[in-house]
Amino acid sequence: MTAAGRLPCRYVIHAATMAMDFVTGEESIRLAARNALKRVREQGMESVAFPALGCGVGGFPAERAARIMAEETAAFLCEGVPGLREVRFVLFDAPTFWTFEKVVGEHLGYIQRKLGRYPIPTVDAVIETAGGIVLIERKNPPYGWALPGGFVDWGESLEAAVRREAMEETGLELEELRQFHTYSEPGRDPRFHTITTVFSARGRGEPVARDDAAGIAIFPPDRLPEKMAFDHRRILRDYLEAKFNPSSTMAK
């Protein structure tokens, strides 16, 4: 990312979609869009404009590029981005414009229908280290301390999702991963109805606040922070009860 010079914007995010072998593929476009959106969050931008990634010299089909970019943008916006007012697609010619309008419109309509009717699957991780339980301080609303976790991507298992989220937010690899419990109370997430599957694990590595985490800390089980997001205080209470009281309902 660089300054924009004389352009009527603040920054230029350089999103490379062509690999060293001069081939543009779906994964490179997806990563370029995802990483560009991360820069948007980090810099607190109010708006961002995308071209049709990979569709110029790269020769990637516009319809497939539109689908990938719509998926990444929708997933990004679902996480909640304070201050961001607009994501715009700026297209070079009429055929590409009509293609993006159709594909992006269809995908956003699909997301709206899903959000309106169906719960969204998420994962959270109770990560233990020698000093206690790893929690992140959320960068985006709802604010507070929380378990590392997030949304399950399309085509991803719950186990793969929780490992990815833990690495993205804490830099830790998960060992001894076990599924603990599922929480589905409709009001547990103030944004929309989510169903989270909670895993327990040991963390390997040095915890570092990354991605959506404004901060990170290790808390002893008897000194958890006062302000916690979602229903994570209840989750930790249930987890600790199951761990230290094997005869409890949560342990069964």
Side-chain angles (χ1 to χ4, degrees), residues 2 30 38 87-88 98 100 135-136 177 181 223 231:
T2 61
R30 190 175 297 280
K38 287 182 179 179
V87 177
R88 180 179 297 183
W98 296 120
F100 265 71
L135 297 178
I136 63 165
L177 186 68
H181 194 65
R223 292 201 296 273
D231 55 352

Side-chain angles (χ1 to χ4, degrees), residues 40-95:
V40 170
R41 176 188 289 120
E42 290 169 358
Q43 297 298 323
M45 298 179 191
E46 295 182 355
S47 64
V48 61
F50 278 101
L53 294 176
C55 297
V57 176
F60 197 79
E63 185 169 353
R64 291 171 60 193
R67 176 180 55 79
I68 294 166
M69 295 175 69
E71 290 172 353
E72 290 300 321
T73 301
F76 175 75
L77 293 175
C78 280
E79 296 174 2
V81 189
L84 181 62
R85 297 182 292 104
E86 181 181 63
V87 177
R88 180 179 297 183
F89 296 103
V90 181
L91 295 317
F92 181 74
D93 55 31

Side-chain angles (χ1 to χ4, degrees), residues 8-236:
C9 57
R10 293 175 60 193
Y11 304 105
V12 174
I13 301 173
H14 303 277
T17 59
M18 186 177 291
M20 295 297 292
D21 57 2
F22 300 103
V23 174
T24 298
E26 178 172 333
E27 185 63 18
S28 63
I29 292 176
R30 190 175 297 280
L31 288 175
R34 186 177 299 174
N35 289 329
L37 289 166
K38 287 182 179 179
R39 302 293 87 75
V40 170
R41 176 188 289 120
E42 290 169 358
Q43 297 298 323
M45 298 179 191
E46 295 182 355
S47 64
V48 61
F50 278 101
L53 294 176
C55 297
V57 176
F60 197 79
E63 185 169 353
R64 291 171 60 193
R67 176 180 55 79
I68 294 166
M69 295 175 69
E71 290 172 353
E72 290 300 321
T73 301
F76 175 75
L77 293 175
C78 280
E79 296 174 2
V81 189
L84 181 62
R85 297 182 292 104
E86 181 181 63
V87 177
R88 180 179 297 183
F89 296 103
V90 181
L91 295 317
F92 181 74
D93 55 31
T96 306
F97 173 84
W98 296 120
T99 297
F100 265 71
E101 183 179 56
K102 175 179 180 293
V103 174
V104 173
E106 288 176 351
H107 186 72
L108 293 181
Y110 167 76
I111 292 295
Q112 289 175 338
R113 291 192 298 274
K114 292 290 285 184
L115 289 177
R117 294 185 57 192
Y118 303 106
I120 302 170
T122 63
V123 289
D124 289 299
V126 180
I127 305 174
E128 293 198 72
T129 66
I133 296 171
V134 178
L135 297 178
I136 63 165
E137 187 176 17
R138 286 181 55 81
K139 186 183 297 183
N140 304 307
Y143 299 111
W145 290 93
L147 298 168
F151 296 97
V152 180
D153 286 345
W154 178 262
E156 190 175 44
S157 69
L158 295 175
E159 290 78 8
V162 76
R163 290 184 186 278
R164 173 183 55 76
E165 287 288 348
M167 177 57 68
E168 289 179 353
E169 295 184 348
T170 71
L172 294 172
E173 294 185 24
L174 301 186
E175 298 179 336
E176 303 175 31
L177 186 68
R178 292 183 176 86
Q179 191 172 131
F180 169 61
H181 194 65
T182 297
Y183 293 81
S184 60
E185 183 66 31
R188 61 173 303 276
D189 187 328
R191 301 167 299 177
F192 23 66
H193 184 184
T194 61
I195 295 178
T196 190
T197 300
V198 180
F199 289 82
S200 64
R202 302 289 301 180
R204 182 162 67 89
E206 189 69 26
V208 179
R210 299 167 57 179
D211 198 30
D212 295 335
I216 192 167
I218 299 173
F219 292 89
D222 59 345
R223 292 201 296 273
L224 296 176
E226 184 65 28
K227 184 178 180 181
M228 296 191 69
F230 308 111
D231 55 352
H232 289 187
R233 181 176 296 280
R234 175 196 169 187
I235 291 173
L236 284 174

